[in-house]
Structure formats: C-alpha cells, structure tokens
C-alpha cells in the first residue's frame, strides 16, 4: 500500500477519520493519509486529523481532480519529503490561528438561550391541518415529472464547472464544456426515462405535534393527542447575538402545548436512486466510467427535484396551507415559498441521529426500501429526507457552535451518554471533548 485515502460524505464521517488516523498511528502505519470529500476541510484536517498521525503525511485534497497530482508527489522519492513538510508547516499555522481565535465566539448558557428563543405570536394563530395523518407511499413516481424541477447548478459543480445555470452554458471559459455536458445529461435522462432504468419512490407523513416550549417536539398517534408517538429533539443557537435577536431552534416553529393549539409536523423520505448503483456498475463493467458517473449525478439531481416536487404537493395538496402558490422553478430553488423542510445533518438540524426517529415514523426501509447505515447515511445514495414545518415565520438558520451544557442536556433528553452525543455532534462543539 502506497497511500490510504479517506472520503467524507456526511458529518459523522469526520469523527471516524480522526479515529482512523489515531489507529494508523497506534498500528505504526508508514504511508501517507489523504483526506477529502464533501464534509471535510483543510481546517478540520489540520486541527483534528493531522495531530493524530505523525508517522507520515496527512494531506487534505479539496477536489478529486487534484488527487492525481497530490498522489504523484506522495509516491515520488524526490518530491515527497518536501511536500509533506510544507503541508505540516501550513497545518501548524492553521492550528495557531485557530488557537488564537478561541474565545472570540461567546456562547450563552443554554438555559439563557432557551429563554431568548424565537416566540411567534401564537394568540390568534390557527395552525393548518393536513388532509391526512399518518403516512402515505408513492411508488414508481414518473421521472419525467421530476425532470421539470431539476436544479442544474449543483450538477455542473459536481463536475468541477462553477457557474449558475443557465448562464454557465454561455460562459466565456467553461461554456463549451458545460453545453457538451448538459447535452450528454439530456441524452442520458431520455434513456433513463424511456427505458425505465431508474425508479423513484417516496413516503411522507404528518403527525399531531406540540413543542414543550424549549427544544423538544412531542408527536402524537392521533388528533386526540393522548397517546405519545415519538419525540423530536432539536438543538438551539448559543452564540451571542446583537440587538437581542432570538436564539433559534426548529422547535420554535411548533405551537407549545400550553397554547392549546393543535399543531402538526410532517416528514418525508424520497429516493430517485433505485437501480442507480446497478446501472452504474453495468457501465463500469464496460469501462464506461463517464456514463457511470453521469448516472449517479443525475440520480442525485432527480432525488433533490423529488424532494422539491413533493414539498410543492404538500403545500398545495396534502397540507394545503398555500393552495394559491404560483412560483416559477427559479423561485422554488430560491425557497420563496412558505414553510421549510430541514434535514437532519444540515445547519438547522445538525444531529444526524434524528434520522433514526424520522425513518422509524415513516417506516422508510419497509415501505420504500431506503435504509440507514450505522452512520446515518442513506442507501440508495440518491435519497433525501427531512421534516416539514408550516408556520409562516419558519425559516432556515444555522445552529452553529454549541457549548457543553447543551450537549449534556440533549444527551439527557435522548437518553444517550455524553460521550456518544459528543461523537455525533463533534463538528459543532465549541470545546474539545
């Protein structure tokens, strides 16, 4: 083995990378370690990973296209030593800057942050009721419908072409490459749809819900609200804010039980990747890696489009609080609609473990075949999951860094050990466990 590479897809993998680096040191490995992937960063590599493995170099690679040149230097007898030493010095400077900046971001005590929560005007507000409670499955959803709401900008980014669609097609530098790629994507989409090479499935659900006035949301089995079904545990912003701005939590958007209001929360899992891995493997067996990558990229775009499309149907049909909505596809991409669909693992809900509750509520594995790995990644990979919130003032935000008192609190609420929650929340901790 000349090099070991680790790629991080979701945030729990960041902590796993630290563990792998420490194990490589313990087992006395003598090979370079390359770090990359969507969730990684140079700062994380410098602060968390590189100090754990000193036997050889730890190198952060920001883009897969650069991995060949990096690997070439790491296997070179004449270039390796100098290249690794440059990286070590660079990462050391990053750690020094990081240490010098610690303490700048002040956190409020968690009870104080809860007291400063966002409080909508509940008096006079009537929460909208969905057209059904429980779950509903959508099998073999027409891909031609999902094609209409694809956001193409991330598609080009995934191929290393930066620019907003459709302007990128006429870009002076990458326009020709973007047009060729777009044409190939359309041809592949035509084939996928006409030959039914992929299929899409979804499950959505709505449940009676009330918050506890802090960061938990209690879900009930029916509108009598006498039988608890599950509890959603959310996190709250703790960084100090100017002008008495509120410290946000997703629980703020659901009516507290003491208001007497009958509120609701929704959830969804959608997938457009059923058959994608098998189809990509067929292309790879024919040495057609380009088509294999294209299939996976298009499956991802179709899945995101599916999430957008189902949310539109929720707002206008299944939880009809915006029946008169008339937005263009561009306005949908810019999230100009009422309500939000935050996903576990993303800034407003950075706790990946909430996916376990969501998947259990929706019975996603049994009903549509989407599974969770032990680190809460979804398979098929071209899948999207999240919650639905309807309050007109609900909005996306970033929880940001949180202090130990909140981690202790959510560990208690979820009946988990502090160490386990610190592991899952390691990317947003403002302290070193």
């Amino acid at each position: 083995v000349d090099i070991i590479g680790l790629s991080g897809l979701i945030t729990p993998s960041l902590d796993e990378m630290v563990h792998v680096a420490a194990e490589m040191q313990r087992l006395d490995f003598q090979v370079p370690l390359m770090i990359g992937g969507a969730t990684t960063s140079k700062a994380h590599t410098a602060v968390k990973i590189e100090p754990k493995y000193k036997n050889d170099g730890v190198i952060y690679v920001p883009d897969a296209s650069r991995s060949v040149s990096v690997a070439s230097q790491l296997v070179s007898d004449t270039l390796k030593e100098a290249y690794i030493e440059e990286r070590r010095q660079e990462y050391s400077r990053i750690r020094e800057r990081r240490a010098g900046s610690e303490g700048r971001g002040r956190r409020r005590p968690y009870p104080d942050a809860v007291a400063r929560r966002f409080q909508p005007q509940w008096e006079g507000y009537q929460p909208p009721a969905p057209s059904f409670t429980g779950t509903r499955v959508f099998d073999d959803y027409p891909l031609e419908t999902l094609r209409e709401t694809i956001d193409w900008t991330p598609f080009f980014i995934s191929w290393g072409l930066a620019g907003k669609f459709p302007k990128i097609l006429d870009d002076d530098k990458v326009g020709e490459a973007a047009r060729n790629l777009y044409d190939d994507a359309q041809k592949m989409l035509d084939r996928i749809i006409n030959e039914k090479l992929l299929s899409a499935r979804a499950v959505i659900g709505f449940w009676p819900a009330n918050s506890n006035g802090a960061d938990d949301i209690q879900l009930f089995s029916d509108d009598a609200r006498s039988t608890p079904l599950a509890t959603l545990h959310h996190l709250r912003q703790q960084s100090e804010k100017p002008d008495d701005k509120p410290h946000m939590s997703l629980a703020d958007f659901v009516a507290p039980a003491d208001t007497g209001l009958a509120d609701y929360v929704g959830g969804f899992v959608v997938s457009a990747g059923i058959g994608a891995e098998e189809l990509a493997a067929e292309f790879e067996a024919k040495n057609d890696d380009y088509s294999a990558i294209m299939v996976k990229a298009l499956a991802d775009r179709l899945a995101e489009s599916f999430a957008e499309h189902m949310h539109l149907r929720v707002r206008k049909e299944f939880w009809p609080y915006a029946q008169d909505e008339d937005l263009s596809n561009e306005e949908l991409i810019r999230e100009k609609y009422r309500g939000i669909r935050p996903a576990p693992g993303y800034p407003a809900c950075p706790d990946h473990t909430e996916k376990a509750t969501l998947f259990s509520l929706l019975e996603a594995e049994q009903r549509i075949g989407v599974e969770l790995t032990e680190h809460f990644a979804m398979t098929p990979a071209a899948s999207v999951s999240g919650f639905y919130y309807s309050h007109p003032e609900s909005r996306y935000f970033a929880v940001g860094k949180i202090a130990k008192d909140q981690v202790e609190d959510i560990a208690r609420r979820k009946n988990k050990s502090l160490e386990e929650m610190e592991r899952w929340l390691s990317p947003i901790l403002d302290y070193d466990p």
Side-chain angles (χ1 to χ4, degrees), residues 209-213 216 218 220 225 254-263:
N210 285 108
S211 75
N212 67 346
D216 284 351
Q218 182 68 65
F220 300 93
R225 298 175 188 255
V254 177
D258 61 14
T259 64
L261 297 174
D263 213 340

Side-chain angles (χ1 to χ4, degrees), residues 29-51:
F29 276 58
Q30 301 290 333
V31 295
L33 176 61
M34 289 173 59
I35 301 295
T39 61
T40 59
S41 69
K42 185 180 291 186
H44 181 266
T45 302
V47 175
K48 297 289 188 179
I49 302 176
E50 203 250 3

Side-chain angles (χ1 to χ4, degrees), residues 79-199:
L79 300 176
K80 176 183 175 181
E81 185 175 343
Y83 181 71
I84 289 176
E85 183 57 31
E86 287 179 5
R87 301 287 78 72
R88 282 176 174 159
Q89 292 180 12
E90 180 184 11
Y91 298 158
S92 178
R93 290 193 294 270
I94 291 173
R95 288 193 294 273
E96 290 173 3
R97 289 198 302 269
R98 183 70 172 260
S101 66
E102 286 182 357
R104 292 180 188 173
R106 297 181 58 189
R107 318 282 170 222
R108 289 193 182 277
Y110 177 58
D112 190 12
V114 173
R116 294 170 181 266
R117 65 189 179 277
F118 174 65
Q119 299 188 61
Q121 177 56 257
W122 295 112
E123 186 176 352
Y125 174 71
Q126 182 57 51
S131 59
F132 67 91
T133 55
T135 60
R136 183 173 295 182
V137 172
F138 301 82
D139 199 11
D140 198 21
Y141 210 86
L143 295 179
E144 56 269 27
T145 300
L146 306 183
R147 185 179 194 168
E148 299 170 4
T149 50
I150 287 178
D151 178 5
W152 285 102
T153 297
F155 171 80
F156 291 104
I157 293 174
S158 71
W159 288 89
L161 300 177
K164 190 173 182 180
F165 180 82
K167 291 182 180 180
I168 191 174
L169 301 179
D170 298 315
D171 185 88
D172 292 338
K173 294 182 179 180
V174 301
E176 183 178 359
R179 288 192 299 273
N180 291 335
L181 185 64
Y182 186 65
D183 289 344
D184 289 345
Q186 300 310 307
K187 292 174 184 176
M188 182 64 77
L189 266 179
D190 288 339
R191 183 178 173 187
I192 287 172
I193 292 172
N194 294 334
E195 299 179 27
K196 300 185 182 301
L197 299 178
L198 302 181
S199 59

